């Protein structure tokens, strides 16, 4: 493990230990893995054999917590089709700021901010730091194939997008997945494993899966489950600003994980998500 990875692992562990709003598997939520996803070439190639939703239970009282409420308010602010320019209303901009204000106060974001300041990667002034976060996550840019600003790091990672109406891109957040599944917009098609990945576990916090959303298919996606919005936001921001590499290995709690973090113009997050490499024995 290179030195940067060791340092980022220590930071990831600190974020994990201080994620006070994380849900407990089997208690605060339950998922039903069912079967392994097959190869799906299109929406019509519906041979998953999965009959039940992924989420069988979520204690929705967690959604009344400040960061969860602020996060959920952002999920309906976007047009999912890439190529369709995004228009940010004053109300939506206010919601973005409210979300950032809510997470900056959390233990995880305070830990991440302190580290980034020590590394001269972020300003110490909270207002300037918030501006940096806004640029990274919420500033619009034109995704591949589009001439006008149609995407942002937040939309891609946490909300999800569709390309050509048939392919789901991004969409790496469990809260959005749960809420969309509850509305009947998600069809869970099974978990994903390959020769090198461990078998998924309903009581662990990382899952690779396949699903359809609206009229598109996500052949393989990877998400944290049950963590708070501030944990993901802190960890991904840390990896984006700290590592010049677009893939960084970190170990924390029970997990050895690769965090994929693609930069867009070096100023914005293109995409970011976790890939489970193995379970650690603690």
């Amino acid at each position: 493990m290179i030195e940067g990875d060791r340092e980022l692992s220590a930071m990831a562990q600190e974020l994990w230990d201080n994620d006070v709003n994380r849900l407990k598997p089997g208690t605060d939520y339950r998922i039903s893995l069912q079967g392994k996803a097959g190869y799906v070439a299109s929406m019509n190639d519906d041979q998953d054999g999965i009959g039940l939703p992924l989420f069988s239970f979520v204690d929705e009282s967690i959604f009344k917590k400040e960061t969860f409420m602020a996060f959920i308010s952002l999920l309906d602010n976007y047009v999912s089709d890439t190529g369709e320019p995004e228009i940010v209303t004053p109300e939506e901009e206010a919601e973005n700021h409210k979300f950032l204000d809510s997470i900056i106060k959390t233990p995880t974001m305070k830990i991440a901010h302190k580290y980034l300041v020590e590394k001269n990667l972020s300003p110490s002034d909270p207002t300037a730091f918030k501006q940096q976060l806004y640029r990274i996550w919420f500033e619009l840019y034109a995704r591949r194939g589009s001439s006008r600003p149609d995407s942002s790091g937040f939309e891609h990672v946490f909300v999800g997008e569709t390309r050509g109406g048939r392919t789901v891109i991004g969409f790496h957040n469990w809260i959005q997945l749960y809420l969309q599944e509850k509305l009947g917009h998600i069809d869970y098609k099974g978990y994903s494993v390959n020769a090198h990945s461990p078998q998924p576990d309903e009581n662990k916090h990382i899952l690779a899966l396949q699903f359809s959303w609206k009229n598109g298919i996500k052949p393989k996606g990877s998400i944290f489950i049950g963590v708070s919005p501030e944990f993901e936001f802190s960890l991904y921001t840390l990896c984006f600003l700290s590592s010049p590499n677009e893939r960084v290995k970190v170990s924390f709690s029970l997990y050895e994980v690769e965090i994929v973090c693609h930069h867009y113009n070096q100023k914005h997050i293109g995409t970011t998500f976790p890939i489970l490499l193995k379970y650690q024995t603690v």
Side-chain angles (χ1 to χ4, degrees):
M1 190 184 280
I2 62 168
E3 196 59 45
D5 293 354
R6 193 174 289 119
E7 210 169 87
L8 277 176
S9 288
M11 289 307 302
Q13 185 66 56
E14 205 175 334
L15 296 179
W16 185 261
D17 291 342
N18 286 276
D19 186 17
V20 294
N21 286 334
R22 184 170 63 248
L23 282 70
K24 193 169 185 225
T27 304
D28 301 321
Y29 73 90
R30 286 190 294 276
I31 60 170
S32 176
L33 288 173
Q34 299 160 79
K36 183 180 172 184
Y39 172 74
V40 177
S42 72
M43 274 293 292
N44 300 324
D45 187 9
D46 196 356
Q47 52 182 0
D48 59 358
I50 300 296
L52 299 171
L54 172 64
F55 288 93
S56 51
F57 166 75
V58 173
D59 179 355
E60 293 193 6
S61 65
I62 190 77
F63 296 158
K64 294 185 171 68
K65 295 202 171 186
E66 186 182 357
T67 55
F68 283 80
M69 280 179 75
F71 176 82
I72 290 167
S73 75
L74 305 179
L75 299 177
D76 62 357
N77 290 354
Y78 297 94
V79 178
S80 63
D81 276 347
T82 53
E84 285 289 316
E86 292 290 347
I87 293 153
V88 182
T89 67
E91 291 79 13
E92 289 169 351
E93 191 173 337
E95 287 178 344
N96 293 343
H97 284 290
K98 189 174 180 182
F99 171 68
L100 290 178
D101 287 337
S102 74
I103 62 163
I104 277 175
K105 296 184 295 192
T106 63
T108 53
M109 207 67 204
K110 283 180 176 173
I111 289 162
H113 186 206
K114 183 171 179 283
Y115 175 82
L116 291 167
V117 170
E118 285 168 1
K119 294 289 180 183
N120 294 316
L121 295 168
S122 291
S124 58
D125 175 61
T127 304
F129 179 51
K130 196 177 113 175
Q131 287 170 344
Q132 182 187 33
L133 293 175
Y134 200 100
R135 189 193 72 236
I136 292 168
W137 286 102
F138 291 107
E139 220 171 66
L140 296 176
Y141 55 81
R143 202 162 273 282
R144 180 170 66 84
S146 177
S147 57
R148 293 172 294 178
D150 63 341
S151 186
S152 69
F154 185 90
E155 177 187 10
H156 184 83
V157 174
F158 292 107
V159 185
E161 301 181 280
T162 50
R163 177 176 284 149
R166 292 186 299 279
T167 307
V168 175
I169 58 174
F171 204 135
H172 298 287
N173 178 258
W174 76 270
I175 301 168
Q176 168 74 334
L177 190 74
Y178 166 71
L179 293 172
Q180 288 292 303
E181 187 175 66
K182 191 177 164 188
L183 289 169
H185 298 160
I186 292 278
D187 181 15
Y188 169 61
K189 295 183 176 293
Y191 62 84
S192 301
V193 287
N194 58 35
H196 308 292
S197 59
Q199 279 290 318
D201 184 328
E202 291 178 356
N203 291 307
K204 299 291 193 295
H205 283 281
I206 302 174
L207 176 65
L209 73 164
Q210 184 182 99
F211 60 91
S212 63
W213 178 48
K214 299 186 176 180
N215 295 315
I217 189 86
K218 179 81 177 175
K220 186 175 181 181
S222 190
I223 58 174
F224 284 110
I225 297 188
V227 299
S228 69
E230 58 266 28
F231 170 79
E232 288 190 88
F233 213 80
S234 303
L235 179 62
Y236 294 150
T237 301
L238 208 59
C239 291
F240 174 77
L241 290 171
S242 300
S243 177
N245 305 313
E246 297 208 325
R247 290 174 175 263
V248 58
K249 275 186 195 171
V250 293
S251 299
F252 58 91
S253 182
L254 304 171
Y255 313 100
E256 187 174 305
V257 179
E258 186 172 71
I259 302 293
V260 177
C261 189
H262 288 229
H263 300 212
Y264 188 91
N265 290 345
Q266 299 306 311
K267 289 192 297 191
H268 311 295
I269 284 179
T271 192
T272 183
F273 55 90
I275 297 174
L276 178 63
L277 301 176
K278 67 180 185 185
Y279 296 122
Q280 300 194 106
T281 48
V282 176

